[in-house]
Amino acid sequence: MTSGQIKALIGSVLPILLIGSLHTDTSLAADRPDFSGTWQLNEELSENPRDQMSKNTGGRGGGRGGMRGEGNRGSGGQGRDPGGMQERLQSMKERIETLEIQHQDPELAIGFGDGTRRILFTDGREMEDNLEAGVFEAKAKWKQASSVVLKAENAVGQKITEIYELDASGQRLEVTTRIEGGDRRPDLSFKRVYDRSLVAPESSDSDKIGT
């Protein structure tokens, strides 16, 4: 085969490969779920993070397992809540009862019941994520074109992983959270289940989502 024939062959095959690659990318994007909507927490199917923490610590007060939120009562710091974890968990429970999601991939905007808002990007870019425990450096990306995985870490080594996934019907959203404590905090993992709400919540000046 002459060099001219080789060049001609490459020139004919390359466009086909490029078209196939573009078709695959378009197909994957089309298969990805849209998380947009109003979501209401299904408490019966969800795990309460405070209950999960109690299991992990054996229900003990004080020391490493002291997560009863009883302040600093008792000698030797018994009953302490290191880092205010119990208080943060209660606050988190209240804010996550309702989610208002606007999803225009790669932007995933999540509004919470307390009026706060998170902006995630599913293309793997680095971003700053403001969470209950402070400011985290985070990245989010698609996993197998069906779920979004967010990984975040703060300056003291605390790590948070969240997985957002819709069921086949598109009417139920599952959010799995794993917190790797760093410092003296115990690890924590729990799942939240949301049902799609058919009626969007009424908005008011006091309920507007803030940044």
Side-chain angles (χ1 to χ4, degrees):
M1 183 178 291
T2 66
S3 60
Q5 289 173 321
I6 293 175
K7 290 180 179 179
L9 179 61
I10 293 174
S12 62
V13 171
L14 186 58
I16 296 175
L17 294 176
L18 289 174
I19 292 172
S21 176
L22 288 173
H23 175 74
T24 300
D25 290 343
T26 304
S27 177
L28 286 174
D31 290 340
R32 288 170 178 167
D34 184 352
F35 296 103
S36 297
T38 301
W39 302 91
Q40 187 66 40
L41 184 68
N42 186 322
E43 295 195 13
E44 290 186 1
L45 299 180
S46 299
E47 296 173 333
N48 188 322
R50 297 183 71 181
D51 293 341
Q52 296 303 111
M53 175 173 285
S54 180
K55 290 179 182 179
N56 290 351
T57 61
R60 299 186 303 273
R64 179 179 173 86
M67 299 292 176
R68 293 182 179 274
E70 297 176 353
N72 297 331
R73 292 180 295 173
S75 61
Q78 294 295 322
R80 289 188 179 185
D81 178 10
M85 180 64 82
Q86 285 282 11
E87 184 178 348
R88 288 205 301 271
L89 287 177
Q90 179 60 31
S91 175
M92 180 176 66
K93 181 180 181 298
E94 294 171 356
R95 70 192 290 265
I96 63 178
E97 288 181 347
T98 302
L99 301 181
E100 184 71 31
I101 300 180
Q102 297 174 350
H103 184 191
Q104 293 183 330
D105 208 56
E107 183 175 295
L108 183 64
I110 306 174
F112 297 92
D114 63 355
T116 58
R117 193 184 193 201
R118 293 173 74 188
I119 303 292
L120 308 178
F121 294 92
T122 63
D123 54 10
R125 75 182 71 176
E126 293 185 357
M127 54 194 169
E128 190 176 89
D129 198 12
N130 293 301
L131 303 175
E132 289 285 330
V135 178
F136 285 69
E137 294 298 322
K139 288 183 179 180
K141 62 181 180 179
W142 287 99
K143 181 179 180 181
Q144 299 177 344
S146 62
S147 57
V148 170
V149 179
L150 171 72
K151 292 183 179 292
E153 183 173 359
N154 66 9
V156 297
Q158 187 177 26
K159 298 178 182 179
I160 298 178
T161 301
E162 289 184 325
I163 302 174
Y164 292 79
E165 187 168 10
L166 284 181
D167 70 355
S169 71
Q171 302 303 305
R172 181 160 285 170
L173 171 67
E174 290 188 1
V175 183
T176 303
T177 301
R178 176 170 175 78
I179 303 173
E180 298 175 72
D183 243 353
R184 295 172 55 234
R185 301 184 182 97
D187 292 349
L188 179 65
S189 181
F190 57 94
K191 180 175 71 175
R192 311 194 307 269
V193 179
Y194 292 87
D195 295 319
R196 185 184 292 277
S197 175
L198 300 179
V199 180
E202 296 183 2
S203 61
S204 64
D205 291 340
S206 61
D207 295 331
K208 287 180 181 179
I209 294 176
T211 56

